[in-house]
Amino acid sequence: MPIKVPNDLPAIDTLTEENVFVMTDTRAITQDVRPLKILLLNLMPTKIETETQLTRLLGNTPLQIELELLQTSTHKATNTSEEHMIAFYKTFDQVRDRNYDGMVITGAPVEMLEFEEVDYWDELCEIMEWTKTHVHSTFHICWGAQAALYYHYGIQKRLLDKKLSGVYRHHLDYKKGMLFRGFDDEFNVPHSRNTTVLREDIESIPELKILASSDKAGVFCVKSSNDRQIFVMGHSEYDGNTLLKEYMRDKAAGIDPDVPENYFPDDDDTKEPLVTWRSCANLIYSNWLNYFVYQSTPYDLRLISNEDLAPVLRNRSDLTVCKFGGTSVADAQKYKNVAEIIGSDPARKLIVVSAPGKRPTGVISAETPYGSRKTEEEKITDLLLQAGRDPDRYEAALEIVAQRFKEIVSGLGVSIDIDQEMDIIHQTASRMKQGSRMLRSYLASRGEYLSARILAEYLDYDFVDAADIIRFDSEGAFSKAETRGMIAAEMRHHERAVIPGFYGSDDDGRIYTFARGGSDITGALVAEAVKADLYENWTDVTGLMMADPKIVKDPLTVPVLVYRELRELALRGAEVLHEDAVSPVRRLGIPINIKNSNEPDKPGTLIVQNADFYESPIKISGISGKTGYASILIEKDGLNKDHSIMPRIDKVISDFGITITGQQLGIDSVALIVEADAVRENREEIIEALRNVSGADDVDISTGLATISVVGRNITGTVSVAVRIFEALSGEHVNIRFVDHAPDRISVQVGVSENDYRRSVRAIYKAFTNLPV
């Protein structure tokens, strides 16, 4: 059968001359066959040569192949024309919503760099994570294989004493494997690289199996236990003259390279090279396509995402990172509840914990020395911040903190000496300037520090200080890449550990904190660094609510959200996880499960990258909104035809420090949605400035506006959703001030009067749930 490629791809002529059956897009239209969809991420500088080599091998099979070419957007090709790249290559944004039977990730000439130093490394990580849910089997070549082993399993590449270049004899380590079915006991493969991976590093990972190797070149081929990841160190795809070209290139550059081993007859570089690996190349790609792609891929490619997420759907994980918020550890009994939750699932190995929050209602205690509030109303972190800001409250606030922790320690029966810990805190704080940021950060962090110490001892887990793995620079800016590496390195030494949230340190040991809610960030960073199967965020609510409970009585919990929905809800006013607490796990596609530590058996809300396989009887995922908006209406005949007007309008808005949150553009008018507070004091000046730059017939600013966003996957692609929204508001006689559809088809935003806001939210909620409000 043929391989289907884009029309006019340069490889067509070369392969046709070699009698490789190539089918163009135009010819393939007439075929009624389900082809195998293969994606090629070409990282090599010689794009056309590499795509020709791999197209030749992928086309030498009885299966029909449909090939698409992929490039990185963060690194532009310099050795291939821009016209070729535009014509034949897609970017990740163009394919991220598609599914593929197989994918090939090539090598790249960047092996002397650390992985994180490669300019497209973050993008490649995102692609490799995406393959787990969108590609049935991925075939990695040379540096691409080393990168994937590092990303998926933490295996480091090792620098060789000198470049490995030549054609080497290989043997099978596992003779029953289907990838090498039909192979001779020994076979040849070209290699050209400066780095390698060690056998012992691979053998330390139970999920990996070495299939073939060479006494001289080392490990050649490795596969994952689920057969969905193939790692090949050599270049079986090379043409007969590829090593020659590399050799001559290095000689011309004055590198004085060694003659490629076993390549030229008698190692004489004046003789024509011998090709002794072609049968190996054809057979390994044919076997991969047949046994690892064709015979095991689901017919409906959308089901690929089920394969790796299935353990999560069955509430099974091999490694779960848990974060417990302040209300989950408010007193000794809460700690015991947390310990039961952790003990109920052996996958809950890494625990991030906040400082104790408010104690349960009904606790009777004496009033504090500095106000009428009772101690059960005080969060530990609030008390510590008070101590850092106000010297007059320092002693009293820390005394309450000490008493709270003593009660917890006593209730749990652990041996931590709180008086001794508080003495250390006092001594350290005394060396810092009163009211300084350093003092505030240090004191604020001690709630999480002591909380984690206590929980670690109660669980008999290792304690890992966040100051040792969360890195800030000397100005207090968070160092993401350094932190990721430090966490990953440290956690290899701990099977089970408790880590305090909220803080980290710089290289000199000075403590810095994230914003409030920073324990969520710490939890996500740990989950990302160890590549957890699941990140559980335990709090005092049973997941995310479909609507504001202050407006809707007992709103439903949203069972499943995708990351984009969560971001949209947050943007539109919902109190959900902060973006900084989501982005680390979103980058790797790690699911987040928001659960209630008071009701641990309830499923909570699962936040995933792709939720197409979840059936939901409710067509929306949430309703969020805010009051306090204003509309700036600018009217002028033919306004939309004058392309110079909008830039002038935008400059005026910017000069007044106003942020536009929405825009409605008509033929003769434009309406800008802004926060009302930003225009109240300068209303007349803004109107006059806009009238001057636009020549508008009329400019008006009206306040008292509220916005409501109805969020859901592909919401604007479902006609019934919009109809229900409008019918619900019409039934309440609500006048809709504007309507806006998000460009990514994930929400519908409507503007209403502030006076209509609450009943509008209730009406929309009732329309989709049929529940009382």
Side-chain angles (χ1 to χ4, degrees), residues 583-603:
S583 60
V585 289
R586 176 171 58 86
R587 189 179 74 88
L588 298 188
I590 299 170
I592 306 171
N593 199 178
I594 299 176
K595 293 174 69 73
N596 188 344
S597 57
N598 299 316
E599 300 177 278
D601 293 333
K602 292 192 174 181

Side-chain angles (χ1 to χ4, degrees), residues 359 363-378 400 403-404 407:
R359 287 194 279 188
V363 175
I364 307 293
S365 56
E367 293 186 354
T368 70
Y370 49 86
S372 60
R373 290 172 294 175
K374 294 179 170 56
T375 57
E376 71 267 23
E377 297 175 347
E378 298 287 350
I400 297 172
Q403 186 59 38
R404 286 281 302 277
E407 291 174 6

Side-chain angles (χ1 to χ4, degrees), residues 223-284:
K223 79 172 186 67
S224 62
S225 57
N226 63 4
D227 292 340
R228 293 188 57 200
Q229 304 282 346
I230 307 294
F231 312 92
V232 174
M233 305 302 161
H235 284 286
S236 56
E237 80 281 1
Y238 268 7
D239 287 331
N241 63 354
T242 304
L243 282 176
L244 173 62
K245 289 180 180 178
E246 293 181 0
Y247 174 64
M248 299 305 293
R249 178 200 63 203
D250 290 349
K251 287 186 68 174
I255 297 176
D256 191 23
D258 290 342
V259 174
E261 296 184 76
N262 311 313
Y263 179 55
F264 299 105
D266 304 319
D267 291 334
D268 183 352
D269 63 6
T270 64
K271 297 181 179 180
E272 184 177 348
L274 292 175
V275 178
T276 59
W277 62 89
R278 189 168 291 139
S279 59
C280 159
N282 284 309
L283 196 50
I284 193 171

Side-chain angles (χ1 to χ4, degrees), residues 105 115 121 128 140 143-154 229 231:
I105 299 178
F115 290 117
W121 176 248
M128 290 190 291
H140 309 82
W143 181 86
Q146 295 179 6
L149 286 170
Y150 175 69
Y151 172 75
H152 291 295
Y153 299 102
Q229 304 282 346
F231 312 92

